[in-house]
Amino acid sequence: MKNTFADYGYSPEEIENRLNETFYDIFEGMGRFYFNGIGDTGYFMDTGNCDARTEGMSYGMLMCVMLDEDGDKKEYFDRMWKFAMDFMYMDEGYMKGYFAWSVAPDGKKNAFGPAPDGEEFFAMALFLAGRKWGDGEGIYNYTKWAKKILRTCLHHHSAMWDKRTALIRFVPGCKFSDPSYHLMHFYHYFALWAEKADRPFWKRAEEESRKFLLKACHPVTGMNPEYAKMDGTPEPYGPPEGHGDFYSDAYRTSANIGLDVLWNSDVDHEGFSKIADNLVTFFADIPTEKFGKYKIDGTPICNPDGTPEKALHPIGLLATLAQTTLACSPAAKEAAEKIVRRFWETPLRQGERRYYDNCLYMFAMMALSGKYAV
């Protein structure tokens, strides 16, 4: 698997040390946001909102199974999965079969609805766990649960995917999407590993999500809205409005594009490379601390006093840009190198907003070192 850091001259020892240090800081260090929970559970805390979210839980599980060596990270994985099953999984009610997207650290549900990105990351992490560690009993029959989750997503009375378009919804039953939820690279494997009857749908979802993102990303800047209608146009969704802009959730989209190019090299990615080139070039010469909030055409969004509104997650944006470079063409070589080297030189975020930024940071470290791979 391509190792971008090595291509830029960083040594195998430097790269391995950075990976290990980053994982340690997240799970055990002073700035950690992994915590042991009730009984034999564990969770990622969203430090900006003081809750555990299916987004973060599934992220942490995927980090563990991808970076595990000789079972050294399996305990973290199992603790997080047990927390999800003990406190997030809904075995009754209208949303039975899904996971509550937000719960308190004591396990009390803050909501009784799911967020589809949590389900798709859970499924991928569980499939990989079954392949790496083998399946156990009950909730530790990872492959069985991965298939069950995906089956529920498609066949629930309030489905997460729109069957007509094969596009993922922002929440079950709604009429718009979140571009950062489109994980073509995951669907490629769901089409191989899910229940046989559903595999053709996952292949179609893989292809349709690529088409969707070509429409959702601006043709000049490469930016995409946080939320988008099923035709790819921005969905402001409010009040307060603003989800039609390039902000927070939206950063993950180009990182996913980078992974799709990395994982599926036999697919025509010319359109994705153009998106990556435009986005990386736009940000290459803007200092990280001056990253702002933008309309998808690149127009800065300003505060009431006329000053540019700053990005809430600047380190997260830098991390996703670094991962985006995996999709760049030679035409953006200079800009891509600037971004990757700046990312290497940037430490993990500290403070109350560290959770989201540092999750994206860890994924970028994995992707650029060749460790974010099936």
Side-chain angles (χ1 to χ4, degrees):
M1 182 60 66
K2 177 180 174 60
N3 186 330
T4 301
F5 287 140
D7 292 344
Y8 286 134
Y10 301 105
S11 72
E13 294 78 13
E14 286 179 294
I15 297 167
E16 192 67 21
N17 286 340
R18 280 295 294 277
L19 275 169
N20 291 337
E21 289 167 3
T22 303
F23 187 92
Y24 176 85
D25 286 345
I26 288 173
F27 281 84
E28 299 182 33
M30 292 295 292
R32 70 189 176 116
F33 44 88
Y34 168 85
F35 300 95
N36 285 337
I38 298 168
D40 51 354
T41 69
Y43 61 91
F44 267 8
M45 178 184 283
D46 180 336
T47 53
N49 295 287
C50 298
D51 63 349
R53 303 184 170 202
T54 52
E55 166 198 78
M57 300 297 292
S58 56
Y59 282 4
M61 288 166 59
L62 192 63
M63 293 171 193
C64 290
V65 71
M66 286 276 188
L67 295 174
D68 177 79
E69 296 179 4
D70 301 320
D72 64 322
K73 296 176 176 61
K74 186 173 184 295
E75 181 181 350
Y76 288 127
F77 183 101
D78 285 346
R79 280 179 167 273
M80 296 185 83
W81 176 230
K82 192 167 191 305
F83 185 97
M85 288 301 299
D86 283 358
F87 305 118
M88 295 176 147
Y89 188 67
M90 295 180 285
D91 55 10
E92 61 182 10
Y94 185 75
M95 289 296 180
K96 178 180 178 180
Y98 287 142
F99 293 80
W101 73 272
S102 170
V103 304
D106 64 3
K108 182 180 179 181
K109 292 180 177 63
N110 295 322
F112 290 87
D117 59 332
E119 258 76 356
E120 54 187 350
F121 269 89
F122 275 142
M124 192 64 185
L126 290 164
F127 274 132
L128 294 179
R131 296 171 70 82
K132 176 168 280 190
W133 299 318
D135 291 314
E137 300 295 325
I139 68 169
Y140 304 111
N141 188 332
Y142 307 119
T143 303
K144 177 182 177 180
W145 271 96
K147 290 181 177 181
K148 180 180 175 67
I149 288 169
L150 294 183
R151 187 79 179 161
T152 300
C153 289
L154 295 188
H155 301 287
H156 196 278
H157 56 76
S158 186
M160 287 187 172
W161 268 260
D162 176 51
K163 294 288 185 67
R164 183 181 63 83
T165 62
L167 299 177
I168 192 170
R169 294 169 163 141
F170 172 61
V171 294
C174 84
K175 296 182 179 180
F176 62 90
S177 187
D178 180 323
S180 74
Y181 287 7
H182 290 257
L183 309 178
M184 306 71 57
H185 45 299
F186 283 13
Y187 308 157
H188 178 85
Y189 289 94
F190 293 171
L192 300 174
W193 300 337
E195 297 287 1
K196 287 185 178 180
D198 294 332
R199 291 176 186 178
F201 178 86
W202 291 116
K203 185 61 181 175
R204 183 174 163 230
E206 175 189 357
E207 295 165 352
E208 293 303 320
S209 280
R210 290 195 184 102
K211 295 175 186 176
F212 172 82
L213 292 183
L214 291 176
K215 293 183 288 186
C217 295
H218 192 275
V220 175
T221 66
M223 297 183 197
N224 63 273
E226 277 201 300
Y227 305 159
K229 296 179 174 66
M230 292 304 189
D231 63 1
T233 56
E235 170 55 69
Y237 185 71
E241 296 184 353
H243 293 295
D245 302 324
F246 183 71
Y247 194 59
S248 295
D249 267 24
Y251 304 161
R252 300 176 297 195
T253 303
S254 61
N256 293 332
I257 283 173
L259 272 188
D260 191 48
V261 173
L262 185 68
W263 287 20
N264 296 296
S265 58
D266 57 336
V267 174
D268 180 3
H269 283 116
E270 182 179 354
F272 277 7
S273 291
K274 186 175 188 298
I275 291 168
D277 287 358
N278 289 341
L279 195 61
V280 168
T281 300
F282 182 95
F283 283 102
D285 294 317
I286 301 176
T288 307
E289 65 274 14
K290 292 188 177 181
F291 284 169
K293 182 177 178 181
Y294 306 90
K295 297 291 185 183
I296 64 170
D297 65 2
T299 302
I301 295 172
C302 293
N303 296 307
D305 64 2
T307 58
E309 187 174 342
K310 290 188 176 181
L312 185 61
H313 300 287
I315 304 297
L317 175 52
L318 176 62
T320 56
L321 290 170
Q323 190 168 317
T324 302
T325 65
L326 294 167
C328 284
S329 75
K333 180 180 179 180
E334 183 178 344
E337 182 168 353
K338 283 183 181 180
I339 290 290
V340 171
R341 292 194 182 280
R342 193 199 311 177
F343 172 65
W344 178 270
E345 293 162 4
T346 300
L348 286 161
R349 184 172 184 175
Q350 303 300 314
E352 68 174 13
R353 290 289 179 182
R354 66 189 184 279
Y355 149 81
Y356 185 67
D357 294 71
N358 292 348
C359 280
L360 301 182
Y361 190 107
M362 181 78 256
F363 281 142
M365 287 294 300
M366 291 161 57
L368 294 167
S369 62
K371 298 286 187 178
Y372 199 161
V374 177

